[in-house]
Amino acid sequence: MVSEPDFSIHDLKYTENHIWIIMDDYFIGTCGITDYAIDKYGHVRFIELQEVNIEVKQHEHMGTIDTDDDIIKLLAPVSGEIIEHNSVLFDDPKSVNESTFNEGWIFKIDVKSKYEYDELMNIADYNDFKNHDTFRY
């Protein structure tokens, strides 16, 4: 059973690499992979992430997602410090396939640049982007 997100899809921001982020408060963002990416590359089988408490820069490689069809580079949506991993995914990475939002979030980041966050795509821009996407990872 697919669970519905606890928030509006209109509250999310998106990257060109199909990562979503939603701000839990002014500084902390929760991130995951989009349904679109899973549809394109197949179900998630394994996720490997940088350690917690590591600083990353926007677009920096910070892990991989192994799917049925490919290995996807997980790139940081914004600069910040990785403060938490979704520990459920280490035992059951396939839970991302059922819920990319609620149970399937991947990591939390202490956002260092509100500007970087503000420059990410909203849902309308992301939908337009998907229509013209050559799919980058």
Side-chain angles (χ1 to χ4, degrees):
M1 179 174 127
V2 175
S3 63
E4 295 297 318
D6 293 330
F7 46 82
S8 168
I9 199 160
H10 298 286
D11 295 333
L12 297 167
K13 294 280 200 156
Y14 301 86
T15 71
E16 292 181 356
N17 299 99
H18 308 288
I19 301 298
W20 59 263
I21 180 171
I22 187 165
M23 297 305 291
D24 298 338
D25 60 29
Y26 191 76
F27 298 104
I28 306 302
T30 299
C31 305
I33 189 170
T34 66
D35 291 330
Y36 178 73
I38 289 175
D39 290 345
K40 185 80 171 177
Y41 279 113
H43 288 122
V44 172
R45 299 184 313 174
F46 181 77
I47 297 175
E48 180 180 78
L49 298 170
Q50 291 273 15
E51 295 294 321
V52 174
N53 301 321
I54 296 290
E55 293 276 336
V56 294
K57 292 186 173 150
Q58 187 177 36
H59 309 299
E60 182 177 339
H61 181 253
M62 53 172 289
T64 56
I65 300 173
D66 186 359
T67 69
D68 290 336
D69 300 329
D70 209 343
I71 295 176
I72 302 167
K73 289 182 186 177
L74 184 60
L75 304 179
V78 293
S79 299
E81 180 180 346
I82 304 304
I83 59 169
E84 185 179 348
H85 292 152
N86 183 349
S87 59
V88 170
L89 299 182
F90 293 111
D91 295 328
D92 184 20
K94 296 177 182 177
S95 62
V96 171
N97 302 319
E98 280 102 44
S99 172
T100 57
F101 298 110
N102 287 341
E103 293 84 11
W105 64 272
I106 298 174
F107 64 94
K108 293 188 183 246
I109 187 167
D110 184 353
V111 177
K112 299 299 180 203
S113 173
K114 184 81 166 88
Y115 173 77
E116 289 176 356
Y117 173 79
D118 289 341
E119 291 297 306
L120 296 174
M121 292 180 276
N122 62 30
I123 186 65
D125 294 337
Y126 181 65
N127 285 334
D128 184 56
F129 172 78
K130 289 188 301 186
N131 292 331
H132 302 94
D133 184 26
T134 57
F135 220 79
R136 321 160 196 187
Y137 266 111

